[in-house]
């Protein structure tokens, strides 16, 4: 019985492939269109898309073109070919602004750019572009059914940029352990980060590493620069303690402060 079922499945598969190959080579546009639509509805997007590519130019300017262009763009999206999908959805919306699919196409175009956004550790050009596209979508369709999802995507992308900025500043701090001159760059990077992302979830860590950078810069400074730098670091310590009195870093920052107090006494003691 199993053997019979296997043979039947093989015959159906071969027949299906044969039908597809014939359609690809056929000059009959309707045959291509019918099979492309059937394959699309069955979720066989790669095969459907090849047929759509052949068919669309033949229907340009005709009533069927709208539906064809949307299905073709959707096929690319389902195949995770997001560069192509994003372009074709955008083109669809521009070509058919009154279509009942225009809003969905605009959202999926923006979402395609979101899908292209890389992990935070890489260059974030696509992330910035995705944010711009999603914001344009929200501005154009403020009452869209896709609004909630668009806002979630924006939040994810914003966090990615936030983490990227934090890790860049953190990297300055790490490098400075080997090249103390980079502590100044680390302090500036954390200052900029805290200004750019005032509500960041990395705020405590950023304030700690800013203090850490300032502390290490100060205690390793030449005498002519040490007092000023110690006072700057003390200011960062006071700010950190003000906002995070019960921090897990309390013991660590307390030791920094004690060392800074000891070194400042040298400047306060009259000779």
């Amino acid at each position: 019985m199993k053997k019979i079922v296997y043979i039947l499945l093989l015959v159906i598969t071969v027949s299906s492939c044969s039908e597809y190959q014939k359609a690809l080579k056929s000059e009959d546009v309707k045959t291509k269109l019918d099979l492309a639509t059937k394959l699309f509805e069955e979720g066989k997007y790669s095969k459907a898309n090849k047929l759509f590519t052949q068919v669309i130019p033949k229907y340009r300017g005709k009533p069927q073109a709208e539906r064809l262009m949307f299905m073709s763009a959707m096929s690319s999206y389902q195949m995770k070919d997001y560069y192509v999908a994003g372009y074709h959805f955008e083109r669809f919306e521009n070509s058919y602004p009154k279509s009942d699919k225009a809003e969905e196409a605009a959202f999926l175009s923006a979402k395609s750019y979101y899908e292209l956004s890389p992990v935070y550790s890489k260059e974030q050009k696509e992330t910035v572009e995705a944010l711009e596209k999603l914001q344009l979508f929200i501005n154009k369709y403020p009452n869209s059914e896709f609004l909630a999802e668009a806002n979630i995507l924006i939040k994810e992308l914003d966090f990615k940029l936030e983490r990227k900025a934090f890790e860049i500043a953190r990297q300055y701090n790490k490098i400075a352990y080997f090249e103390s001159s980079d502590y100044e760059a680390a302090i500036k990077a954390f200052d900029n980060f805290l200004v750019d992302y005032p509500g960041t979830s990395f705020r405590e860590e950023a304030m700690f590493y800013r203090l850490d950078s300032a502390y290490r810069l100060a205690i390793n400074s030449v005498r002519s620069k040490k007092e000023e730098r110690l006072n700057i670091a003390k200011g960062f310590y006071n700010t950190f303690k003000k906002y995070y009195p019960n921090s897990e870093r309390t013991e660590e920052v307390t030791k920094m402060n004690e060392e800074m107090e000891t070194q400042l006494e040298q400047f306060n003691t009259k000779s």
Side-chain angles (χ1 to χ4, degrees):
M1 184 65 183
K2 286 182 180 179
K3 190 174 181 180
I4 293 171
V5 172
Y6 174 78
I7 291 170
L8 284 170
L9 287 171
L10 184 61
V11 169
I12 292 169
T13 302
V14 171
S15 174
S16 176
C17 289
S18 176
E19 181 186 14
Y20 173 67
Q21 291 299 328
K22 284 180 180 177
L24 280 176
K25 296 173 184 177
S26 174
E27 296 296 324
D28 187 339
V29 178
K30 189 175 184 307
T31 297
K32 291 178 186 287
L33 175 59
D34 290 345
L35 183 57
T37 303
K38 178 174 176 252
L39 291 168
F40 177 83
E41 290 171 351
E42 291 174 353
K44 297 174 182 177
Y45 300 111
S46 180
K47 287 184 175 181
N49 203 42
K50 287 180 181 178
L51 288 169
F52 285 137
T53 301
Q54 292 183 349
V55 166
I56 286 174
K58 307 292 184 182
Y59 282 93
R60 193 163 286 129
K62 297 180 180 179
Q64 299 95 324
E66 179 182 332
R67 183 164 177 261
L68 276 171
M69 282 184 70
F70 186 85
M71 287 193 295
S72 178
M74 184 62 82
S75 294
S76 295
Y77 184 84
Q78 295 294 345
M79 290 160 60
K80 299 185 178 181
D81 190 352
Y82 297 119
Y83 280 109
V84 173
Y87 169 76
H88 283 298
F89 277 127
E90 188 172 355
R91 188 178 168 202
F92 176 89
E93 188 206 4
N94 291 333
S95 300
Y96 302 100
K98 295 182 179 179
S99 169
D100 59 0
K101 290 289 187 181
E103 182 181 316
E104 183 178 0
F107 173 69
L108 289 175
S109 176
K111 191 175 179 181
S112 294
Y113 287 97
Y114 160 84
E115 296 289 358
L116 290 168
S117 173
V119 295
Y120 77 90
S121 57
K122 294 186 177 180
E123 171 61 42
Q124 294 300 302
K125 176 176 172 287
E126 289 86 356
T127 302
V128 172
E129 193 169 15
L131 279 166
E132 290 172 354
K133 296 289 184 182
L134 284 163
Q135 192 57 58
L136 283 172
F137 169 77
I138 289 173
N139 293 344
K140 192 169 184 178
Y141 300 98
N143 300 312
S144 172
E145 63 178 291
F146 303 107
L147 183 63
E149 186 178 354
N151 282 320
I152 289 170
L153 300 182
I154 285 176
K155 190 174 181 180
E156 287 181 26
L157 294 171
D158 275 335
F159 180 76
K160 194 178 288 188
L161 292 180
E162 181 182 317
R163 186 171 182 187
K164 174 76 172 180
F166 173 78
E167 293 298 341
I168 288 172
R170 179 76 177 93
Q171 193 63 29
Y172 280 119
N173 176 267
K174 289 179 182 177
I175 293 171
Y177 276 77
F178 305 99
E179 297 180 33
S180 58
S181 62
D182 281 343
Y183 281 125
E184 288 183 278
I187 294 165
K188 186 175 182 180
F190 282 118
D191 274 339
N192 290 338
F193 175 79
L194 289 165
V195 169
D196 292 340
Y197 302 97
T200 177
S201 57
F202 296 109
R203 188 166 183 263
E204 181 178 349
E205 286 185 85
M207 291 178 73
F208 168 77
Y209 284 115
R210 181 178 65 175
L211 165 59
D212 179 69
S213 299
Y215 159 76
R216 294 181 187 281
L217 176 65
I219 62 172
N220 290 302
S221 291
V222 295
R223 185 172 179 80
S224 61
K225 295 182 178 180
K226 182 170 284 192
E227 184 178 14
E228 180 185 2
R229 288 176 173 176
L230 283 169
N231 282 319
I232 290 171
K234 277 280 295 179
F236 290 148
Y237 166 78
N238 291 332
T239 301
F240 183 86
K241 285 293 292 179
K242 176 183 176 182
Y243 287 103
Y244 302 103
N246 301 311
S247 171
E248 292 181 0
R249 304 273 195 179
T250 295
E251 184 178 349
E252 198 171 348
V253 299
T254 299
K255 286 180 180 178
M256 289 183 197
N257 185 52
E258 289 172 353
E259 173 65 19
M260 290 189 291
E261 291 281 6
T262 299
Q263 295 208 18
L264 278 169
E265 284 177 12
Q266 299 173 20
F267 296 94
N268 296 329
T269 304
K270 294 181 179 179
S271 52

